[in-house]
Amino acid sequence: MLKECKAGERFEGILLINEWKEVPFRQKPGSYITLTCQDRSGTIQGKIWNYEPQVLVWLNEQDVFYVKGMISEYRGTLDLTVETIRLVPKEEVDLTELLPSSPVDLEVLERRLDLLIKKIFQPELRVLLEQFFKHPEKGDTYRRAPAAIKIHQAYLRGLWEHSLRVAEIAEGIARLYPGIDYDLVVAGALLHDVGKIREYAYDRGIKFTTDGRLLGHIILGIELLTEEIASIPDFPNELRSKLLHILASHHGKYEWQSPKKPKLMEALVIHYADALDAELWQFEQAKENYPNDDWSPYIPNMERYFYLK
Amino acid sequence: MLKECKAGERFEGILLINEWKEVPFRQKPGSYITLTCQDRSGTIQGKIWNYEPQVLVWLNEQDVFYVKGMISEYRGTLDLTVETIRLVPKEEVDLTELLPSSPVDLEVLERRLDLLIKKIFQPELRVLLEQFFKHPEKGDTYRRAPAAIKIHQAYLRGLWEHSLRVAEIAEGIARLYPGIDYDLVVAGALLHDVGKIREYAYDRGIKFTTDGRLLGHIILGIELLTEEIASIPDFPNELRSKLLHILASHHGKYEWQSPKKPKLMEALVIHYADALDAELWQFEQAKENYPNDDWSPYIPNMERYFYLK
Amino acid sequence: MLKECKAGERFEGILLINEWKEVPFRQKPGSYITLTCQDRSGTIQGKIWNYEPQVLVWLNEQDVFYVKGMISEYRGTLDLTVETIRLVPKEEVDLTELLPSSPVDLEVLERRLDLLIKKIFQPELRVLLEQFFKHPEKGDTYRRAPAAIKIHQAYLRGLWEHSLRVAEIAEGIARLYPGIDYDLVVAGALLHDVGKIREYAYDRGIKFTTDGRLLGHIILGIELLTEEIASIPDFPNELRSKLLHILASHHGKYEWQSPKKPKLMEALVIHYADALDAELWQFEQAKENYPNDDWSPYIPNMERYFYLK
Amino acid sequence: MLKECKAGERFEGILLINEWKEVPFRQKPGSYITLTCQDRSGTIQGKIWNYEPQVLVWLNEQDVFYVKGMISEYRGTLDLTVETIRLVPKEEVDLTELLPSSPVDLEVLERRLDLLIKKIFQPELRVLLEQFFKHPEKGDTYRRAPAAIKIHQAYLRGLWEHSLRVAEIAEGIARLYPGIDYDLVVAGALLHDVGKIREYAYDRGIKFTTDGRLLGHIILGIELLTEEIASIPDFPNELRSKLLHILASHHGKYEWQSPKKPKLMEALVIHYADALDAELWQFEQAKENYPNDDWSPYIPNMERYFYLK
Amino acid sequence: MLKECKAGERFEGILLINEWKEVPFRQKPGSYITLTCQDRSGTIQGKIWNYEPQVLVWLNEQDVFYVKGMISEYRGTLDLTVETIRLVPKEEVDLTELLPSSPVDLEVLERRLDLLIKKIFQPELRVLLEQFFKHPEKGDTYRRAPAAIKIHQAYLRGLWEHSLRVAEIAEGIARLYPGIDYDLVVAGALLHDVGKIREYAYDRGIKFTTDGRLLGHIILGIELLTEEIASIPDFPNELRSKLLHILASHHGKYEWQSPKKPKLMEALVIHYADALDAELWQFEQAKENYPNDDWSPYIPNMERYFYLK
Amino acid sequence: MLKECKAGERFEGILLINEWKEVPFRQKPGSYITLTCQDRSGTIQGKIWNYEPQVLVWLNEQDVFYVKGMISEYRGTLDLTVETIRLVPKEEVDLTELLPSSPVDLEVLERRLDLLIKKIFQPELRVLLEQFFKHPEKGDTYRRAPAAIKIHQAYLRGLWEHSLRVAEIAEGIARLYPGIDYDLVVAGALLHDVGKIREYAYDRGIKFTTDGRLLGHIILGIELLTEEIASIPDFPNELRSKLLHILASHHGKYEWQSPKKPKLMEALVIHYADALDAELWQFEQAKENYPNDDWSPYIPNMERYFYLK
């Protein structure tokens, strides 16, 4: 793990290359490559001083490589001089070694999910959730997926962590308003972002898929749920429309890419809980990153400074 | 037909009731009912002077009734005093007798559709169009549906007429830009609004369906196309994504309920042709409604006056 | 109470006049007055057929009058023919007899308030809340005030009911995020709208005060809290700034009249909870008003129809 | 031509300097100049290592110079070491040697223009077009002008190429809508951007004129057309107003600097065709620039990625 | 004059008919006409009980008629029963008898104008103003024109009154900022709205002209100034561009139909002074209309209530 | 003073450090510090080649230091090699030596202030102004404060200079509109930005205070005025509300952080005068910075180029 490296040691292992560029030498002809490498424990800047031209062809950003080199220190910052680098075949890539993961423990997430599903009475909704979360591929992908590429919970298991918090906020609110259907709001919260498992590809780094860009996670989620529901006998038609509406409206506004506004109490609550968790996450992150400061730097995405005291 | 009625004659026939209300008498206790009745030839105001209270329960707006009464004249405007009124059973309703239809002849529409489809080479797109338009129910519903509830082509066969014009505009543009895929742009234009056949119910007048309000014609159209494509063997995956993207993006902007912006030349052309036809239709309509005026009244939907000379 | 009146009976009592206008007779010279009267149990239309001109001077809208007259029926709707009407002196007005009140029981509200305050540890915040809620005049006005003039909880005790729900939502969320200060978020939620007790006058009906229109409840609330805090020894300066910031930012956006955006987790949560409760209330209201309908009428304030099933 | 240069050769010729700056040496006092030079065949980076201070005064960006120097290579990119540089007198500048031109052949453009004008029946419109396009100076400037400084068709003859495409789109649409006046829509399309010949100066590179910045091409075009029309006897007054309205409204929205919205079918069609061609041009450009990519880079002007497959 | 009429008297004179409509009788077949009549002293409601059908053809709104009838009173409001009505030939119409005029005295306006022009040194600007204001037709039309059809100074001489105030505000500001050119700012202020004399027709009531709707007063003003300036020998080119820019930019924002933003100090000052006078006028108007109220009614155009104390 | 320094001389004095960063050496391990230093006469770039690590801890941006070093020249630009640097104790800091000040003379500002206050008749307003401006601390802070951190009059005494100009513009306008209360508009103009003395801290450089960020100068100004007014016996209640309203509404729009729109003529005038002075100041600045140019560079804050001729 990068975190354990020390200056003067050699490094050998599998790394994710986030971005790289060729830099011309200032004082002589020729150039070198700088790259940002990461594994789940952290990030290091690397340099390749000598390389053959075809490296420029196969060295993709957001891709995974076997790397060998030397660690040196430079005013307290470590630096990796790469001596060997080659592509790692797809089947050897283990993203959980390369990307950070939700700070919440896997078992804790699983237990919280269980707890939420167990309280659901409506039989078809319960079947839907159990079938989906136990599905070897879909359930697994959902548990691994990040919540976003940037902004909030952009790490492995981020989708899961985020969806649980949305569901838990929604649950708390449902208890205060008798008009809210507990089963629907919790199931909707857990599934509101399910289309992200087709919007992002993250077998080698995190990228948008072509379908992700052409259709987006709202439509992809509706397609996915439509398939799931089709396999459940007698799933009530109206319940299906409500669930799909929750997905369609969870961004809350047309300008935020929701083709419908929330027209159900449950859809409204999920929209609010979704937005609130994404924003609170940024506060938490700022508090973690600037533990000694009164004020965060300017957060462009929120168009403000946060007060951290 | 209402158009042929004269003052002093009796009327007997099936009419669509658009709206009605109970009006209290000014000078004495009690009230009467005024209603707007229509068949495909026109509209007449009606009055019911005597009625039993339960009429108020079964007299729905946007519904179809058998009506018997007397025509009278009042300053050049005809008026129908209703003596008998009762609900028409669903199977006896023939909407084409009750609602106006596209001014374009049915045969002309059919011929223009044929012409457009025949020029399509891409085999799966051609199969998709033929299968859809020949489908006894879907093809028929599409041909009957209005293009909108208000604003443009809000009459029977309006969807068909509008889609043909969008396709014909797109065809003309495709000829000027070699980068545009003729087959895709024409197929996309014909199908861009297909979800409207599930967004509106028009067995008895024109109304939004619950799915229409919860999901909208973009998502309903994508569901419908997904089903259609699933039944065509070897439909290329990428072609499917492009078609669905055309539906998803045809409103052009997030604020207009498109969850994606046009990212293909074909999607862009369809978005423009769609908006342009809807706006030109309003000019045509204004010219027809105010044949002797220089200026139309203010058109709220377009936020301007039209110059009609 | 108006609710118990029957046609043919006489009425005598104190009523709130919401609005009135003079209506010219259609068939003869002269005019009559129509007025909308209400007490807490309901509303009735009234008419004054004979009156002296100076009535037009002292008959204010949103004011309270002693009224005597005759109830008659007109197609199931009751109607009050006013024979005597005169202004009620200020000290005899009891608004709780005239305006509807929160459907939630007074004791329940009091108990929920107690519960929330009891859990607060931070000593100065606790003193602040106790001092304010026990203050004979301020505490009482707060408990009586409506939450709004229109839109949501626009009835007596509406401010209290709304603030409790905001506090309870916030409390639930605080339990999920360790970074949120429970004491601050609950105190802030209870006080976020406190300026409304100076923004509205409701000794005789509900009206904006001049200060309400010139300054608004955010600034009036800040003034009020500033005074309260000044009387508490050693109230920490930073806590004071945070509390005032919560008031200043609780509308969440500049366009919604908040001069600051939420820069504290607690301020963010209160903003969300405030907006969410105001919107959920409208769903609840629609469900109550249209118990048998699938869809509400169009809700202009929310720019959508609600699905009520 | 720059395109034919090779490393190790000497260069001598006339170049357009787009931008330049003085760069301090890192390791020693003093500085050098880097500049971007172009002729119509391409672009090269240049450096001036030794120069007298007054160079800084007469070395304008977007100006034309005689340049002598040495070509060298540096990792596959050519580099020009400038030895001699001096201003070229205005009369020796030939912009067509320095700026790229429309990829469409001059003869093709001329033929398409002819074809469009020939079909116009309305005599005054035809005179107007013939007089303008045959005018030795105006007609010529129009044919040379770029369509824009950035974004679309920002090369010589771009205005002409763009206007022809707008006219051809409009022509195709006019054929589908009997209400559209063919003569007016084609004439309007050819002239909609005519003010650009006074908005940009492009005798030495492309720049905004002072009038271009103070008044813009809509007002300058209206002034220009007003002059042209004044010289045509009996030009119908109403036709003149319509033509000027087409110019005034062709951006379609106030926010896009049109002081009027399109109020004629012809003005509406030209607005749509104008916007559509500008956007399709960007797709074409992206396809040309990234022939092997599925997706374009982010296009800030269109706020999206293009799908290029 | 209408103001002097009393109930029971006969009326005979020339009136402007603002609007009229045919109203069906409630209790019997047939209908009558109600119309709003005005002269410069006030407004009266009229009724025509008997009329021949062709009245409906020639009775235009915003037109001028000779009217004979009977005044009656109805709860303090006067009412005119029209017995004879016929069109007044154009040459007999004197608008100053029919429309209200600026409350400011004609001589006062003339004196203030003189004063402003006399202080202008720049010779061509002075010639321009003198030539324009002394022009028998243009100068006269300017002095008579209203400043707007609605909102502010919508009465005869309103344009003049408004322009003077804008010029006087600008003059005061120019004295504080040495960078502002006094001559230009005053001349620009006096002429900023000059296009309104072609945007409105007010020979018979106030209406938009066709050119007014197609081009607007900014473009029409620029055309007018262009003509004026063309007749002044050696008018400096740059001064002309600045003046035209002031017209083009005086609405200040694209959304308000200015195709350019103010890029000169003088243009900026005129934009601000123009907007400020239009808004202050509405305050003055409200104070005049509600002399005893603390608060004005809601002013939709300003989206607020005014405090009038 | 920095302005008087010459290359080759030594420098010793107190400087404000605006920003600094550590820069790694390109050719060897280690790094150096670059910093921007200023006093009221100008700005110089500095470098520290050798330093102990703890410098990085106490070297704050926007703070004040005693600096000793050597001036050298590098292509006409001076450069300061810092040899000694240490923090200056708070009581020795004299900001007027470190920051630029308003170009207007202190005596002139004082005289203009006097003049404005002397004309005020309303006794309580006069007392308020005199008490505030003579207050040893508040009056002094007001006179020293900048008008902004960026954009306009961001220098010492900027608040004072700006407020005077706003008051003088307002005074001129008040003379033209009899409905405007001279005393209120001048007092309001002088105090509209008074909250800035608590929004910014400028004992050591200019920074936002925590209260400035949490509450903003509108609320802080209202708090400050509330305190001031409380100490004046019999200050009329309504006058107080009007003054506070002027502060609350002086940004004119919700989007610009005013929680209320101007509802008084005086508030409207102050809003306009405030915005106009801030924009004219930018024109003046551009004319000063680019005395020989026709056009300023693009001014992002004003979204335009200025024409400077």
Side-chain angles (χ1 to χ4, degrees), chain B residues 5-19:
Chain B
C5 290
K6 295 204 187 73
E9 293 181 355
R10 298 196 57 76
F11 175 86
E12 181 174 353
I14 290 174
L15 294 175
L16 174 66
I17 307 301
N18 280 321
E19 27 177 40

Side-chain angles (χ1 to χ4, degrees), chain C residues 55-221:
Chain C
V55 170
L56 306 179
V57 175
W58 51 257
L59 189 61
N60 294 315
E61 303 200 343
Q62 289 292 324
D63 210 337
V64 183
F65 298 88
Y66 167 85
V67 175
K68 214 155 91 178
M70 187 71 197
I71 307 279
S72 57
E73 190 182 4
Y74 173 55
R75 283 205 72 76
T77 309
L78 295 179
D79 209 66
L80 171 62
T81 302
V82 175
E83 289 154 9
T84 310
I85 179 162
R86 66 179 145 74
L87 205 65
V88 173
K90 199 181 160 184
E91 54 282 7
E92 293 174 26
V93 174
D94 176 2
L95 266 199
T96 61
E97 292 294 307
L98 295 171
L99 288 174
S101 295
S102 164
V104 187
D105 220 58
L106 201 137
E107 287 74 36
V108 174
L109 294 172
E110 203 67 71
R111 208 172 330 122
R112 285 161 59 191
L113 177 62
D114 258 27
L115 218 70
L116 286 164
I117 296 181
K118 268 194 197 125
K119 284 186 253 171
I120 289 182
F121 280 106
Q122 209 289 337
E124 283 86 6
L125 278 181
R126 187 136 179 204
V127 169
L128 172 66
L129 290 172
E130 283 172 354
Q131 164 182 307
F132 177 80
F133 282 104
K134 285 180 182 153
H135 189 281
E137 195 204 309
K138 291 176 206 160
D140 189 54
T141 317
Y142 177 98
R143 282 176 178 84
R144 268 174 34 232
I149 286 194
K150 279 192 288 197
I151 311 281
H152 71 101
Q153 288 126 323
Y155 43 62
L156 294 179
R157 297 205 296 269
L159 171 60
W160 193 12
E161 180 199 322
H162 167 64
S163 304
L164 284 174
R165 289 223 289 202
V166 173
E168 286 160 354
I169 293 177
E171 189 196 13
I173 291 165
R175 237 175 293 138
L176 300 169
Y177 294 80
I180 297 177
D181 175 343
Y182 175 89
D183 293 352
L184 180 60
V185 89
V186 168
L190 290 173
L191 295 172
H192 76 284
D193 265 347
V194 73
K196 288 193 172 167
I197 73 179
R198 293 185 180 167
E199 188 178 33
Y200 308 140
Y202 39 101
D203 44 343
R204 313 179 67 90
I206 310 180
K207 287 174 217 168
F208 274 101
T209 60
T210 281
D211 272 3
R213 275 199 178 145
L214 288 181
L215 301 173
H217 70 270
I218 285 184
I219 287 175
L220 292 171

Side-chain angles (χ1 to χ4, degrees), chain A residues 32-72:
Chain A
Y32 60 98
I33 290 171
T34 63
L35 21 66
T36 317
C37 316
Q38 71 163 77
D39 64 13
R40 67 151 208 266
S41 73
T43 283
I44 197 168
Q45 280 305 108
K47 291 206 180 62
I48 316 182
W49 298 107
N50 295 298
Y51 51 95
E52 298 175 23
Q54 69 258 47
V55 169
L56 307 178
V57 177
W58 53 256
L59 190 61
N60 293 314
E61 302 199 342
Q62 291 291 323
D63 211 338
V64 182
F65 298 87
Y66 166 85
V67 175
K68 217 155 89 180
M70 188 72 194
I71 307 282
S72 56

Side-chain angles (χ1 to χ4, degrees), chain D residues 195-248:
Chain D
K196 288 192 172 168
I197 72 180
R198 293 184 179 169
E199 189 178 33
Y200 308 141
Y202 38 102
D203 43 345
R204 313 179 67 88
I206 309 179
K207 289 173 215 169
F208 274 102
T209 60
T210 280
D211 272 4
R213 274 199 179 145
L214 288 180
L215 302 173
H217 70 270
I218 285 184
I219 287 175
L220 292 172
I222 285 174
E223 287 200 337
L224 195 151
L225 266 201
T226 300
E227 295 159 24
E228 288 297 305
I229 286 172
S231 73
I232 300 174
D234 302 322
F235 199 98
N237 224 36
E238 202 207 345
L239 188 59
R240 176 185 174 282
S241 297
K242 284 181 170 182
L243 253 186
L244 298 187
H245 170 72
I246 286 172
L247 269 68

